[in-house]
Amino acid sequence: KQEVTQIPAALSVPEGENLVLNCSFTDSAIYNLQWFRQDPGKGLTSLLLIQSSQREQTSGRLNASLDKSSGRSTLYIAASQPGDSATYLCAVGHGGFKTIFGAGTRLFVKA
Amino acid sequence: DVKVTQSSRYLVKRTGEKVFLECVQDMDHENMFWYRQDPGLGLRLIYFSYDVKMKEKGDIPEGYSVSREKKERFSLILESASTNQTSMYLCASSLRRRSTRDQPQHFGDGTRLSIL
């Protein structure tokens, strides 16, 4: 059974710092991995989706990597800003409709 | 931009009531999903639909049913609401897989449902 773990559960950094969020999964037979952002009381916003054949995806200050063999993905955020404060979730896709979500990392960027 | 709209942000109902949660997407997506999100349990899939009138059970379908009569609309039904169904309900949609490329899921803002 696939399990998705995100460490740390919470992170506080000063503005301007580069940071890395981690996601690990137990079954490497995945179709894709997606990173989401969730603001308090809101739905999820898709940030990046990495296909199983890809190693990384970039969007602006965000870069996500995928290493299927080790069961790991990282989300790198460059030059963090207070507006980046949110919960970040990773989700592993197994094809069809099966998506397993991690519990998330709550990020707080201090001005 | 993809827009997934859930009919209510907050809803309060009583135990035993039949409750309808509505979700509409405007991007002609084939796939639609209903999740619930609970502290400590994360997001769990209730039901999935890949086409009109088609549905598949997710991880926790008990006590719920769904309806997809039109492509853009996916309804979640609590047949007889109970207090353990108090939760945040999230609807999502996505395009069907194209070639070898999976498509991202797009979420609505959620409905916070309280059953008293």
Side-chain angles (χ1 to χ4, degrees):
Chain A
K1 180 188 170 188
Q2 177 74 271
E3 291 181 6
V4 180
T5 304
Q6 292 187 249
I7 294 172
L11 182 64
S12 181
V13 300
E15 183 178 5
E17 191 161 299
N18 301 327
L19 60 101
V20 173
L21 306 181
N22 297 296
C23 173
S24 62
F25 47 94
T26 54
D27 184 351
S28 62
I30 66 171
Y31 276 53
N32 60 69
L33 188 142
Q34 193 165 359
W35 281 94
F36 294 91
R37 168 190 172 130
Q38 185 174 30
D39 293 292
K42 294 290 193 94
L44 280 65
T45 300
S46 177
L47 297 174
L48 292 163
L49 183 147
I50 311 175
Q51 309 288 341
S52 63
S53 58
Q54 297 175 320
R55 298 282 292 185
E56 65 177 354
Q57 281 284 330
T58 298
S59 176
R61 295 182 294 108
L62 306 179
N63 175 276
S65 68
L66 174 64
D67 184 343
K68 280 200 319 178
S69 61
S70 67
R72 291 179 149 183
S73 176
T74 60
L75 179 67
Y76 174 82
I77 302 177
S80 58
Q81 303 170 358
D84 294 331
S85 298
T87 297
Y88 290 81
L89 296 99
C90 72
V92 170
H94 279 268
F97 57 92
K98 195 66 175 173
T99 302
I100 310 298
F101 289 80
T105 294
R106 187 177 300 175
L107 173 66
F108 179 64
V109 181
K110 298 173 287 188
Chain B
D1 257 6
V2 177
K3 184 74 173 174
V4 179
T5 303
Q6 295 185 229
S7 54
S8 305
R9 289 299 309 278
Y10 302 95
L11 206 53
V12 180
K13 297 290 182 181
R14 298 205 173 276
T15 55
E17 278 193 69
K18 191 169 186 176
V19 181
F20 293 85
L21 302 183
E22 306 287 345
C23 175
V24 176
Q25 50 92 6
D26 66 357
M27 285 303 291
D28 205 34
H29 284 178
E30 296 95 349
N31 302 329
M32 295 190 76
F33 310 78
W34 274 107
Y35 295 92
R36 64 178 281 179
Q37 185 177 30
D38 300 287
L41 296 175
L43 273 86
R44 293 177 292 167
L45 180 66
I46 306 172
Y47 266 99
F48 160 73
S49 170
Y50 56 90
D51 204 345
V52 174
K53 298 191 185 296
M54 306 306 291
K55 61 185 179 184
E56 295 280 349
K57 292 180 180 179
D59 297 317
I60 50 165
E62 297 78 19
Y64 303 95
S65 63
V66 290
S67 173
R68 186 135 181 232
E69 296 297 318
K70 293 185 178 181
K71 191 175 185 180
E72 68 271 18
R73 186 180 297 271
F74 192 33
S75 302
L76 180 69
I77 303 153
L78 285 66
E79 297 292 343
S80 177
S82 63
T83 55
N84 63 13
Q85 292 178 309
T86 292
S87 185
M88 172 73 126
Y89 289 86
L90 293 164
C91 174
S93 72
S94 71
L95 285 167
R96 188 172 296 152
R97 199 163 191 247
R98 294 290 190 265
S99 176
T100 59
R101 300 189 67 78
D102 293 306
Q103 304 297 318
Q105 291 188 33
H106 299 268
F107 282 77
D109 277 341
T111 296
R112 189 165 292 283
L113 175 64
S114 296
I115 307 295
L116 305 179

